[in-house]
Every structure is written in structure tokens, then in C-alpha cells.
Amino acid sequence: MSWVIDRSGVDALCRVLTARGYALVGPTVRDGAIVYDRITSSADLPVGWTDEQAGGAYRLKPRNDRALFGYAVGPHSWKKYLLPPRLTLWRAEREADGFVVLEESHDPPRLALIGARSCELRALAIQDRVLLEDACVDPYYRTQRDRLFVLAVNCGQAGGTCFCASMDAGPRASSGYDLALTEVVAGERHYFVADAGTPAGHEVLNAVPHATATPDEIGMADAVIARTAESMGRSLDTTDIKRLLYDNLDHPRWDQVAQRCLACGNCTMVCPTCFCTTVEQVTKLAGAKAEQVRTWDSCFTLDFSYVHGPGSLRSTHKSRYRQWMTHKLATWIDQFGTSGCVGCGRCITWCPVGIDITEETAAIRGGTR
Amino acid sequence: MIPCPAEIVEKRSETRGIYTFRLRVKDEGKRAAFRFRPGQFNMVYAFGVGEVPISIASDPDDLDGLDHTVRIVGNVTGVLERLKVGNVVGLRGPYGSWWPLEESRGRDVIVITGGLGCAPVVSVISYVVRRRGSFGALKILHGIKAPTDLVYRRQFQAWAKHPNTEVHLTTDQPDRRWRHHTGVVTTLLGRVTLDPANSVAMMCGPEGMMRAAARELLERGVPTESLYVSIERNMKCAVGLCGHCQLGSEYVCKTGPVFRFDRIRHWFEHPGV
């Protein structure tokens, strides 16, 4: 059963969620990009903005309507909330006969993710698999995950680097949301078709003015999503992709991409599933207190694979790009039973030299002996 | 996932830049509950500096303390070198997989190590010599760059005295006092008799050495599923969350560090993976 809320219903949703103790985080315009940050109402959303994306290129452009969600995804992903870029894990304090170690307790806020896209929900599900469903669970992620309300938005347009349809990850959110909206701007009418995915979503929807969606309204919303699916900027052939990459570790294409790759790590920072971290000890000046701080890391750094003796085991750009792409698309499947790629296109857009994971995959497939 | 304080109860200098620390977990309950299997490792924490993965070199039945042989190479080990008996480090573990010792009962055990690679396998050797009757022949092949790199000097001598046990040492750069073999460790393989169908090889050392030794053993007819290697990788979390230790589809901290060779052969034969 679908429902309809009008333009003002979005602000009603924000008020209801705030009243239920959620801090709202969602898309907002800053520094020429749409990023995720605290918001309070629809006024903070990128009203009337869209984005143009291509390999190594991202530009905001005004739309000719007042759509709230009329763009693809920006450089941020929700992982910054669930897997914070910097987090203290534990502290150690000197004592007379040694030291004590104190586990850091975390109390993350209840967060409502406003405007999460289907690819991002898939990314969350993948991170769940990695960080919650293995032998060892990330306690911070666990707590924050349990305190989420997910307000999804089905994509009304595909970005130039989007390929979620290839990865079976969108553009329609199929699971992992409390409430999903499809935005329809048709002439004078601006409304949202809403579907509740959980009892919590239902309850929030019931607290705002809504009506039962008519077949026409549902048809309009379905058409929006269908149009998005047909206008994907990129595609990636995933046929037997694990075997493809496992069998092509020596493909000459890796040497070619290595000549362009700067090993800057941008792709890993913007990727919504990349989860690698490192730790550093931070000590107070007096030397009596130390903290174990976890930060995001990237497999593109030399340090990442450093061992004493041989040094960095992935000393070339070739080996580092191959590690990243082979992990994302192939070894991830053996490790976690799923691809690590959701087709959001961020790694293509935010690569300074526009390296394109879909193009690299196609080149390897095309050149397979 | 947080380190527990452990006291250094013994610090043995093995050779220049290599020490064996005997650690005793301070908390009695945790000490009693700590069980490991040969091949597993601990994360050892030096206050204010950080953690490093170090394999456990002592016997699993020795509940009194845990031996860790450490080469002084970086920031954390640099601090460890300056610590004295009575000082405290942090310890968490044990992590990772172990050598197939139960499965190898009744079979010949071939231990092939290079440099400090012998540390993760020392527990295998002590395990076998303590239960000498349960295993077939024990052949220890150990290679080092220079005679001064030899650790566990007295242990090697003691092991050689056990029945049905051979110790073969070799160095690339012999000096006048060196009375063992010369050359890389794989040359020792030519000097030992093998019962290929009934042997299990356990290897640890530089990856080139392990690749060469595996090739040699396969040529001599040892089945690939009887070869085991212990792999070293950068590790930060030791529980499969930080991503650093990946070797192809494997997390060395989780499904390793001890692997059956055929399980990782595809990745292992591509340096840089």
C-alpha cells in the first residue's frame, strides 16, 4: 500500500522525527557540492539544485524546478556516521606498577538519514555484513546502526557515473529503509509517493498528513524510477566477474591504469563500502595517558601493506589499484558473499584523473585471452 | 578487543636485535583462561606506542607464561627492547589459525624455516618433541643469512638429541666457526630423505623461500595438501576488520597466518597481491 504526502509533508516528517529524538542528517549544499550534514528542515536541502557528473568531474547546476532530491549522490556517504573517520577505541593510563586499559564507551545519537539512495542502502547492507556479521563485531557501528531511522528516496535521475542498475542495487530502494519516498514534480503538483518498510516507518508516516496514493500517482512515481533506470550513465557487466578478475592478475591493463592512477586514495574515501582503517597511538604530553585512535585508511598508501624486511608488499601503483578493484568486485564475493560495489559511481566522479571502474573492467574482459 | 596488562617475567637476548620475552598476564582469571594453539599470534602493546602482531613461541601446555620472540625493527619493538623484567606490556589474543598438529599425528613432520621465520614454528617443534612417540620423523631445516642471525642456538642443539629427529642448519654467509651447511635452505632438502606420502611440511620465512621450498617438495612428490605455510602481513586489528592483512580472498589474521598451501597458492604466486 502506497501513500502520498505533499511538499509540506517533508517538513512535517522532519518535525516528527526530531520530536522522536532523532538528529536529522541529509544532503545540503556546501562548497559547490552536495554533502551530508545536520539539517533541520527542507530548507536545508539542495532545493532546485542538480549535479552533473563525469569521470573526474562534478558540478552543481540549478534545476528548472524546485525539486528537493533532484540529483545523484555527492562525495559523502553515510559511512562517515557509522564508521567515523576518527574514533577513539580505548585509553591506557600509567599506574605505579604498569598501566590500565579502559575501553572507550560510545553513545552515538539517534540519527535519521534523510534522502538515502538505494545504492547507499545496499552499501549499508554490505557494511553490515562486513562489520556486524563476522566473528568480530564493530561495537560503535553496532550501536549507531541500531539507532537509525532511514528515510530513503528513490532516484529521480541517474548521474553521469551511476551504474547501480548493473549492480542490482537500484535505482528503487527495495529494502533497508523505514520509509521510502519517490519525488514527483509534475507541472504545478509537487508530491511524494511514500512506502513504509518497517512498523517504525509506518508510525512516522501516520503522524504526518497523508493520503492513500491513487493508481495515477503510483504510476507517475513508477515512471520516474523507470526513467532513471534507463538513463544510467555507466554500466558494468558482472557476468562471472570473480573468475574474470581472479584469472587476470597479470593482465597488461593493470600496467596501463597504473600510469594514470595517482594512488591518492580518493576512490576509497568516497566509496560507501570501503571500510579499511588503521590505528594510531596518541599520547598526552606528560606521557601518562595514551589513546588508541582508529582512522580511515586506504589500500592506496604504501604504508598499508608495509611489513618489516620486504617493506611495502604493494610497492607499485599497479599492485595497489589491482588490489582495490579486485577486492571491490571479486575477492569481496569470497569474503562476504556479496560484491563490494553498489554502482554509485563516486569513485569515477571523484578520481582526479577520471579512472573508471566500469571501463577498466570492460577492458580486462575485452582483452581476456 | 582491548589489551590486558602482562608482565615481562623473562627477557632473553637471542642474538643481536632479537629477544624472547616471556609474558605473564597479570589478571589471574585471564591468565588461566588463555589457551592457544601453535601457530597463533598475539597483539603485543607497548604503552604509548602501539601494537604489533607476534607469534607465540612457547608450548601450549605451558600455562605459566607466553614466549614471544621479537626482532627489533620498528617503533613498537624499539620500545620493547628497552623494557626490563618486571615492566608491563599489553596483550590481546590469541588470533588466527594454527598448524595442523592433531591431524599430523603419526606422520613425519618437516619444518622448513628461514631467519626469524623459525619463531612461529618453534612451538611446533617443542610440541612434537614433547610428544615424540606420537609423530614420525622430525626434520628441522633452518636457513639464515649469517651465523650471527641464529636464534634458539641451544634449542637447536637440544632438539637434535631427540630420537628420530634431524636438525639441518645452513647459512648464506658462513664464517670460520660455522660447522653446518652453506647455501639457501632449499639446498638442505636435497640432503634429507623424504617419505612423501607420509610427510607434512610446515614452513615459515621469506616468501621467496617458501615458494622455492614448496616447489621442491611438490617435485619430490609431497602432495600439495600436505604443505603448510605461515604468512606475515601488516596487521592493525587482528580480527578481520581493518583490511590490512588481505592476501587475495584471505584475511591473514582470520583464515591465516597458517594456510594450507593449495588454498592460497593462486595469490601467493603473484607477488604484490
Side-chain angles (χ1 to χ4, degrees):
Chain A
M1 182 113 170
S2 295
W3 310 87
V4 161
I5 61 172
D6 62 19
R7 168 67 178 81
S8 66
V10 174
D11 282 307
L13 281 174
C14 290
R15 281 193 300 276
V16 167
L17 287 165
T18 306
R20 278 164 173 64
Y22 288 101
L24 311 183
V25 286
T28 194
V29 173
R30 194 204 301 148
D31 299 334
I34 293 168
V35 299
Y36 292 149
D37 206 343
R38 291 288 177 107
I39 59 170
T40 53
S41 72
S42 69
D44 296 325
L45 295 172
V47 183
W49 287 102
T50 191
D51 51 17
E52 270 187 357
Q53 302 196 34
Y58 179 97
R59 291 287 179 277
L60 288 189
K61 271 180 51 182
R63 293 172 61 91
N64 53 16
D65 61 25
R66 301 288 290 162
L68 305 184
F69 299 101
Y71 40 82
V73 291
H76 287 188
S77 72
W78 306 105
K79 81 174 175 185
K80 70 173 184 168
Y81 295 110
L82 290 129
L83 185 73
R86 190 174 177 85
L87 183 74
T88 298
L89 299 179
W90 46 264
R91 295 164 194 277
E93 292 181 13
R94 269 210 191 287
E95 290 195 328
D97 59 343
F99 56 85
V100 286
V101 183
L102 310 161
E103 189 152 17
E104 186 79 345
S105 66
H106 296 285
D107 187 20
R110 281 155 66 85
L111 284 184
L113 313 185
I114 308 296
R117 305 307 176 97
S118 177
C119 61
E120 302 186 302
L121 301 183
R122 174 60 66 84
L124 270 175
I126 292 172
Q127 288 215 321
D128 287 351
R129 171 66 191 85
V130 174
L131 299 169
L132 299 180
E133 290 162 24
D134 229 274
C136 201
V137 168
D138 181 329
Y140 186 94
Y141 187 95
R142 172 80 274 166
T143 312
Q144 182 65 83
R145 190 75 174 94
D146 290 341
R147 296 180 184 179
L148 289 188
F149 183 95
V150 178
L151 178 68
V153 168
N154 294 315
C155 286
Q157 68 178 61
T161 57
C162 286
F163 57 103
C164 66
S166 300
M167 304 314 289
D168 200 20
R172 183 196 287 274
S174 56
S175 65
Y177 58 83
D178 293 294
L179 204 53
L181 305 180
T182 308
E183 183 172 32
V184 180
V185 187
E188 291 300 291
R189 264 204 88 194
H190 187 178
Y191 62 94
F192 298 83
V193 172
D195 291 284
T198 61
H202 227 274
E203 199 248 329
V204 167
L205 184 63
N206 276 330
V208 304
H210 64 277
T212 305
T214 65
D216 256 10
E217 288 164 335
I218 294 172
M220 290 287 275
D222 287 348
V224 164
I225 301 168
R227 213 167 42 238
T228 306
E230 282 160 18
S231 56
M232 289 282 134
R234 298 282 198 281
S235 69
L236 192 150
D237 178 2
T238 59
T239 313
D240 213 8
I241 194 159
K242 196 180 93 177
R243 207 60 270 155
L244 175 76
L245 293 173
Y246 279 26
D247 290 347
N248 281 289
L249 296 172
D250 293 321
H251 197 285
R253 184 73 185 189
W254 300 119
D255 292 303
Q256 292 164 27
V257 71
Q259 297 196 335
R260 301 167 59 209
C261 177
L262 309 171
C264 68
N266 264 19
C267 49
T268 57
M269 297 293 108
V270 296
C271 177
T273 67
C274 272
F275 58 86
C276 289
T277 55
T278 187
V279 284
E280 58 184 90
Q281 278 272 304
V282 178
T283 48
K284 299 277 186 270
L285 268 182
K289 290 182 178 181
E291 284 180 26
Q292 182 85 334
V293 179
R294 185 182 76 186
T295 57
W296 285 359
D297 202 1
S298 170
C299 55
F300 281 92
T301 71
L302 267 177
D303 257 6
F304 191 83
S305 60
Y306 184 87
V307 293
H308 286 284
S312 179
L313 297 177
R314 297 191 200 102
S315 57
T316 61
H317 287 198
K318 169 188 170 177
S319 60
R320 280 176 264 156
Y321 186 83
R322 183 179 63 186
Q323 162 63 21
W324 177 74
M325 190 173 120
T326 306
H327 184 216
K328 191 67 48 188
L329 294 174
T331 52
W332 206 297
I333 297 171
D334 267 342
Q335 293 169 356
F336 305 111
T338 162
S339 172
C341 178
V342 299
C344 71
R346 287 181 179 90
C347 57
I348 307 171
T349 299
W350 297 95
C351 174
V353 296
I355 292 172
D356 181 340
I357 190 171
T358 67
E359 199 180 306
E360 295 311 309
T361 307
I364 285 173
R365 192 180 290 283
T368 301
R369 286 142 297 193
Chain B
M1 288 246 296
I2 65 171
C4 57
E7 189 181 340
I8 299 173
V9 291
E10 200 186 326
K11 180 186 179 187
R12 278 196 307 274
S13 173
E14 297 285 354
T15 183
R16 194 161 44 98
I18 298 178
Y19 299 86
T20 296
F21 293 90
R22 189 166 183 72
L23 305 178
R24 188 179 287 145
V25 174
K26 291 182 81 170
D27 182 286
E28 247 175 74
K30 284 183 185 155
R31 191 194 316 154
F34 193 99
R35 289 283 184 286
F36 74 96
R37 300 202 229 191
Q40 291 192 288
F41 67 95
N42 281 325
M43 294 300 279
V44 178
Y45 166 63
F47 181 86
V49 193
E51 295 182 305
V52 280
I54 307 285
S55 58
I56 310 169
S58 46
D59 191 281
D61 285 350
D62 177 0
L63 303 178
D64 186 48
L66 300 159
D67 288 346
H68 297 78
T69 300
V70 179
R71 183 197 295 275
I72 310 306
V73 284
N75 294 336
V76 175
T77 52
V79 168
L80 291 178
E81 182 175 34
R82 295 198 292 276
L83 295 181
K84 302 182 182 74
V85 168
N87 286 157
V88 174
V89 297
L91 205 63
R92 58 183 179 100
Y95 295 118
S97 61
W98 46 86
W99 301 103
L101 286 166
E102 285 306 310
E103 300 86 325
S104 303
R105 280 178 181 262
R107 305 176 70 184
D108 293 352
V109 176
I110 321 291
V111 169
I112 305 174
T113 55
L116 196 53
C118 59
V121 199
V122 161
S123 51
V124 168
I125 301 173
S126 9
Y127 188 94
V128 172
V129 299
R130 278 204 186 192
R131 299 154 186 83
R132 199 63 204 86
S134 306
F135 292 87
L138 172 62
K139 305 191 183 201
I140 303 166
L141 283 57
H142 181 53
I144 45 179
K145 209 176 277 174
T148 47
D149 294 332
L150 186 64
V151 296
Y152 306 131
R153 189 180 296 268
R154 268 176 305 165
Q155 284 99 313
F156 278 114
Q157 286 167 3
W159 292 325
K161 294 190 180 113
H162 280 84
N164 205 9
T165 303
E166 299 168 27
V167 173
H168 303 270
L169 302 178
T170 187
T171 182
D172 295 354
Q173 303 157 7
D175 58 16
R176 276 181 303 147
R177 287 160 56 205
W178 183 253
R179 286 172 317 191
H180 307 279
H181 304 287
T182 299
V184 294
V185 70
T186 38
T187 59
L188 293 178
L189 271 173
R191 297 176 182 273
V192 296
T193 51
L194 281 183
D195 177 2
N198 193 37
S199 292
V200 182
M202 306 188 196
M203 302 179 262
C204 188
E207 296 194 0
M209 177 223 105
M210 290 195 279
R211 275 191 282 270
R215 221 175 296 129
E216 180 89 16
L217 287 163
L218 291 170
E219 267 170 32
R220 302 226 5 219
V222 181
T224 164
E225 59 273 15
S226 298
L227 307 183
Y228 290 82
V229 290
S230 179
I231 304 281
E232 184 182 10
R233 281 292 180 276
N234 189 326
M235 288 180 192
K236 299 297 184 196
C237 74
V239 292
L241 294 179
C242 80
H244 282 252
C245 67
Q246 287 177 74
L247 172 67
S249 57
E250 307 298 321
Y251 282 82
V252 173
C253 71
K254 247 182 356 184
T255 47
V258 176
F259 290 102
R260 208 174 83 179
F261 183 67
D262 56 344
R263 299 252 162 89
I264 54 154
R265 188 173 186 180
H266 179 67
W267 309 115
F268 198 56
E269 288 181 352
H270 285 87
V273 165

